[in-house]
């Protein structure tokens, strides 16, 4: 599904190259994977996840999604890829505070133009799977951290993207909620067939996945 070839990423200070953040990354992610990019802080896992999600521009190399090169598309084309083909789960949840849970989950589906009947059915379906169907009328501020993260996962998966990219999704959760979230994301992976790629060094993530992809100083090891 995802193929990276000789991907490199440099950060510059002025015209001088300051950090070689990704070094000749060659990697393939198959459809249906439940995998993690891991390694010590600063190893490049979030940078690599952002590159795959076309959130950051790479310096050289190529990234393909189902055979289509996506790393060097223009800004509008990248926005369409992120909207239609990818789901994102961030450490900070990034929920819309003035929208209730129902409308937060439906947010991406509405941008994509789904009918309200389809949205209603899908929101309830995914909320039940993530055990937040009793919170659909609540605002995010009334939810616990674990519940907010489940809403973020529900929003990411609701429109059935090709891949979900999750950056440190358990970082703000206690051990019980971390394990619960991973169990539910594993169930989503198995029931929905959605490909999920994490960037994390959390033991609850690492021990839950089917494949561990380790980085050290910007290189795959």
């Amino acid at each position: 599904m995802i193929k990276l070839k000789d991907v490199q990423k440099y950060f510059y200070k002025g015209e001088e190259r300051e950090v070689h953040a990704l070094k000749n990354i060659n990697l393939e992610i198959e459809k249906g994977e439940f995998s993690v990019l891991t390694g010590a802080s600063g190893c490049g896992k979030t940078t690599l996840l952002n590159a795959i999600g076309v959130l950051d521009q790479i310096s050289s190399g190529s990234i393909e999604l189902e055979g289509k090169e996506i790393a060097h598309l223009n800004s509008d084309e990248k926005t369409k890829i992120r909207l239609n083909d990818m789901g994102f789960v961030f450490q900070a949840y990034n929920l819309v505070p003035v929208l209730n849970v129902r409308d937060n989950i439906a947010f991406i589906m509405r941008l994509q133009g789904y009918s309200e009947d389809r949205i209603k059915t899908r929101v309830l379906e995914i909320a039940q799977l993530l055990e937040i169907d009793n919170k659909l009328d609540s605002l995010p501020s009334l939810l616990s951290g674990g519940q907010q993260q489940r809403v973020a996962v529900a929003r990411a998966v609701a429109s059935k993207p090709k891949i979900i990219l999750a950056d440190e999704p358990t970082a703000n959760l206690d051990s019980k909620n971390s394990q619960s979230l991973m169990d539910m994301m594993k169930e989503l992976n198995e029931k929905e067939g959605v490909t999920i790629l994490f960037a994390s060094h959390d033991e609850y993530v690492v021990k839950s996945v089917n494949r561990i992809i380790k980085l050290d100083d910007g290189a795959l090891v």
Side-chain angles (χ1 to χ4, degrees):
M1 175 175 284
I2 299 281
K3 184 175 182 179
L4 291 83
K5 185 175 181 181
D6 299 327
V7 169
Q8 302 206 66
K9 172 70 176 178
Y10 305 109
F11 289 106
Y12 291 86
K13 188 173 185 179
E15 294 186 1
E16 293 186 12
R17 195 173 81 190
E18 190 174 48
V19 177
H20 195 171
L22 296 176
K23 303 173 183 177
N24 295 100
I25 301 292
N26 290 281
L27 177 67
E28 294 188 13
I29 304 293
E30 300 292 341
K31 182 176 174 58
E33 277 201 32
F34 192 67
S35 304
V36 65
L37 304 169
T38 193
S41 295
C43 70
K45 55 186 180 291
T46 293
T47 303
L48 181 53
L49 197 76
N50 287 346
I52 293 171
V54 288
L55 292 166
D56 288 341
Q57 181 68 42
I58 60 174
S59 301
S60 62
S62 67
I63 301 174
E64 295 180 2
L65 173 63
E66 295 186 330
K68 178 183 179 180
E69 211 291 323
I70 61 173
H72 302 291
L73 297 174
N74 64 40
S75 179
D76 288 344
E77 290 170 326
K78 287 181 178 179
T79 297
K80 290 178 182 177
I81 292 288
R82 289 193 296 267
L83 175 62
N84 296 313
D85 298 325
M86 299 179 175
F88 296 89
V89 181
F90 299 102
Q91 179 179 334
Y93 315 142
N94 287 4
L95 302 179
V96 182
V98 297
L99 298 182
N100 62 22
V101 167
R102 187 189 315 275
D103 289 334
N104 264 286
I105 297 173
F107 191 78
I108 302 299
M109 295 186 74
R110 288 203 171 100
L111 290 178
Q112 292 177 332
Y114 279 82
S115 71
E116 285 301 316
D117 284 346
R118 176 61 182 137
I119 289 172
K120 182 179 178 180
T121 301
R122 180 60 174 163
V123 167
L124 182 58
E125 177 185 27
I126 205 69
Q128 288 174 337
L129 189 57
L130 288 166
E131 299 179 2
I132 49 175
D133 50 306
N134 63 336
K135 300 292 184 181
L136 288 174
D137 295 318
S138 299
L139 291 173
S141 60
L142 301 177
L143 305 181
S144 68
Q147 290 168 337
Q148 289 186 58
Q149 192 61 295
R150 290 185 199 182
V151 176
V153 172
R155 178 182 58 190
V157 79
S159 61
K160 296 191 175 182
K162 294 174 180 175
I163 186 168
I164 290 178
L165 303 173
D167 189 14
E168 300 285 5
T170 60
N172 294 324
L173 305 180
D174 59 26
S175 59
K176 181 180 178 181
N177 278 305
S178 293
Q179 188 61 63
S180 176
L181 181 71
M182 290 308 300
D183 290 344
M184 289 180 178
M185 292 191 77
K186 180 63 175 173
E187 188 174 3
L188 279 171
N189 168 253
E190 293 172 349
K191 285 189 174 182
E192 302 261 333
V194 62
T195 307
I196 303 179
L197 180 63
F198 300 91
S200 180
H201 58 263
D202 187 334
E203 63 176 300
Y204 294 100
V205 177
V206 174
K207 74 180 183 181
S208 299
V209 298
N210 299 330
R211 180 186 181 195
I212 299 169
I213 304 162
K214 190 171 182 182
L215 290 98
D216 182 37
D217 196 25
L220 286 180
V221 295

